[in-house]
Amino acid sequence: MTQSHALDALIQSLRRLPGVGVKSATRMAFHLLQHDRAGAEQLARALEGAVRSVHHCARCHTFTEAEVCSTCLDPQRDATRLCVVETPADQAALERTGAFRGLYFVLLGRLSPLDGVGPQDIGLQELIARASDGVVQEVILATSFTAEGEATAHVLSEALQRRGVRVTRLARGVPVGSELEYVDLGTIAHALADRR
Amino acid sequence: MTQSHALDALIQSLRRLPGVGVKSATRMAFHLLQHDRAGAEQLARALEGAVRSVHHCARCHTFTEAEVCSTCLDPQRDATRLCVVETPADQAALERTGAFRGLYFVLLGRLSPLDGVGPQDIGLQELIARASDGVVQEVILATSFTAEGEATAHVLSEALQRRGVRVTRLARGVPVGSELEYVDLGTIAHALADRR
Ligand SMILES: [Zn+2]
Ligand SMILES: [Zn+2]
């Protein structure tokens, strides 16, 4: 498409980033080559460094460079509460709120029978073992409020409650700062049903 | 911000891409590490390859891997028409239209006295020499229709016409496919003034 195979290859590679179409990828590639070659080299090194050194925590599965992440190793955290999330990004978002002081279990996915993702693929047995270790007193399900996230929460909830584990779910409701008239109807209906 | 320096470094590096804020960079980094490590490695190699092998054509200054680009070397191109653009991206956009069969001169910038960009920084002397080589019969100014792009076109036009070169400018007007009511008033006013 351009006069350079290396430039075309860069545009194609940038398109693998989520949310980046051919127009954005082209703009990014031209920008880097014309104005920020140091930035391009820095990004290349950062990509290689992250792929080489970032892996999953042996206990909670979030991203870490250590065998076990610093959250799992932190004695100040409340080990009686275990929060289940779908992805390391969800775990990071919850951490940023500063509102949760317990520990995490990252599923690295959610149930999706059509895509062949079953309970074993999201570590159900490991979660059950963890939740039954005698320390955990409450499992908080923080999977997404999508069809697949809700189905995942339902299956996990059944399996855990069958073993006598106390299970809760994040509240659905109106986002903080929203004006009611602009909130979708399903959210309002759920907020009404889950009113306190 | 996360539990991994390498992940933080990747997020920071992704922010150097144009149009990518901290939210997008975070989403991209988590996506690559969780779902597309091969894509991350491919992007790293593509960045290194492009920085290493893409440079500017010795004649027109667009991006190429050769000493002189394939457009400049193409004997089928009409060497009597020289189109002046600001960036290799603008040159690529014009090429994609297929509407221009002449040659190019890429300024690699535009006049911006406040940023210390003067005529020597956009190759005015080289452009004058090129336009006065006895082959070029028309210089088409295709700098942007912004204040700086217009000022650049004005300065280039004066300098070239003083040397007897025929200078034209891309037409301003209503974009193809636009409904008049949604076009900004300045554009409509120019389209009216430049009516044919
Ligand atoms: Zn951990
Ligand atoms: Zn060239």
Side-chain angles (χ1 to χ4, degrees):
Chain A
M1 203 170 128
T2 70
Q3 297 199 31
S4 156
H5 291 298
L7 180 52
D8 290 340
L10 177 55
I11 294 169
Q12 288 310 315
S13 301
L14 286 163
R15 291 190 62 186
R16 294 182 76 149
L17 295 171
V20 176
V22 65
K23 276 197 177 180
S24 305
T26 305
R27 198 174 67 239
M28 289 170 174
F30 280 107
H31 171 84
L32 289 174
L33 287 173
Q34 199 185 339
H35 300 294
D36 195 13
R37 285 178 178 239
E41 285 170 337
Q42 180 191 311
L43 177 54
R45 283 191 305 271
L47 286 160
E48 284 160 354
V51 167
R52 192 174 50 240
S53 53
V54 178
H55 50 256
H56 296 286
C57 170
R59 288 207 81 200
C60 74
H61 305 157
T62 198
F63 288 139
T64 180
E65 291 170 46
E67 172 71 11
V68 174
C69 79
S70 58
T71 303
C72 285
L73 289 175
D74 184 351
Q76 312 277 15
R77 307 285 301 209
D78 176 2
T80 66
R81 322 231 170 269
L82 186 67
C83 183
V84 176
V85 294
E86 292 177 5
T87 67
D90 294 339
Q91 190 259 357
L94 264 163
E95 274 301 281
R96 279 199 295 277
T97 69
F100 181 66
R101 294 300 303 159
L103 297 175
Y104 293 95
F105 187 91
V106 183
L107 300 172
L108 298 177
R110 51 188 169 194
L111 293 178
S112 181
L114 290 177
D115 300 320
V117 181
Q120 71 288 355
D121 301 306
I122 59 171
L124 178 59
Q125 286 313 316
E126 196 180 337
L127 173 59
I128 288 171
R130 178 83 185 274
S132 318
D133 65 359
V135 178
V136 173
Q137 288 167 27
E138 178 187 2
V139 171
I140 299 150
L141 298 176
T143 55
S144 358
F145 288 94
T146 59
E148 288 180 346
E150 294 277 25
T152 303
H154 180 73
V155 169
L156 297 181
S157 179
E158 297 257 298
L160 291 164
Q161 287 180 323
R162 208 178 304 133
R163 284 158 184 89
V165 179
R166 180 173 170 234
V167 178
T168 58
R169 179 89 168 105
L170 280 196
R172 281 174 302 203
V174 177
V176 173
S178 312
E179 293 185 73
L180 216 58
E181 91 178 274
Y182 300 114
V183 175
D184 74 280
L185 299 184
T187 297
I188 295 178
H190 281 304
L192 196 62
D194 294 354
R195 68 188 180 277
R196 303 184 301 164
Chain B
M1 202 168 130
T2 70
Q3 298 198 31
S4 156
H5 291 298
L7 181 51
D8 290 340
L10 177 54
I11 293 170
Q12 288 310 314
S13 300
L14 285 164
R15 292 190 61 186
R16 294 182 76 149
L17 296 171
V20 176
V22 65
K23 275 198 178 181
S24 304
T26 304
R27 198 174 68 240
M28 287 171 176
F30 280 107
H31 171 83
L32 288 174
L33 287 174
Q34 199 185 338
H35 299 296
D36 195 13
R37 286 179 176 237
E41 286 171 335
Q42 180 190 311
L43 177 54
R45 284 192 303 271
L47 286 160
E48 284 161 353
V51 167
R52 191 172 51 238
S53 53
V54 177
H55 51 255
H56 295 286
C57 170
R59 290 208 80 199
C60 74
H61 306 157
T62 198
F63 289 140
T64 178
E65 291 170 47
E67 172 70 13
V68 175
C69 78
S70 58
T71 304
C72 285
L73 290 175
D74 184 351
Q76 311 279 11
R77 309 285 301 209
D78 176 2
T80 67
R81 321 232 170 268
L82 186 67
C83 182
V84 177
V85 293
E86 292 177 6
T87 67
D90 293 340
Q91 190 259 356
L94 264 163
E95 274 300 283
R96 278 199 295 278
T97 68
F100 181 66
R101 294 300 301 158
L103 297 175
Y104 292 95
F105 187 92
V106 183
L107 301 171
L108 297 177
R110 50 189 170 192
L111 293 178
S112 179
L114 291 177
D115 300 318
V117 181
Q120 72 287 357
D121 300 304
I122 57 170
L124 178 59
Q125 287 312 315
E126 194 180 340
L127 173 59
I128 289 172
R130 178 84 186 273
S132 318
D133 65 359
V135 178
V136 173
Q137 288 169 27
E138 178 186 1
V139 171
I140 300 150
L141 299 176
T143 55
S144 1
F145 288 95
T146 59
E148 289 182 343
E150 295 275 25
T152 303
H154 181 74
V155 170
L156 297 181
S157 179
E158 297 257 298
L160 290 165
Q161 287 180 323
R162 211 178 302 132
R163 284 157 184 89
V165 179
R166 181 175 170 231
V167 178
T168 59
R169 178 92 168 102
L170 279 197
R172 282 176 300 206
V174 178
V176 173
S178 313
E179 291 184 74
L180 216 58
E181 88 176 280
Y182 300 114
V183 174
D184 74 282
L185 300 184
T187 297
I188 295 176
H190 280 305
L192 196 61
D194 293 356
R195 69 187 181 279
R196 303 184 299 164

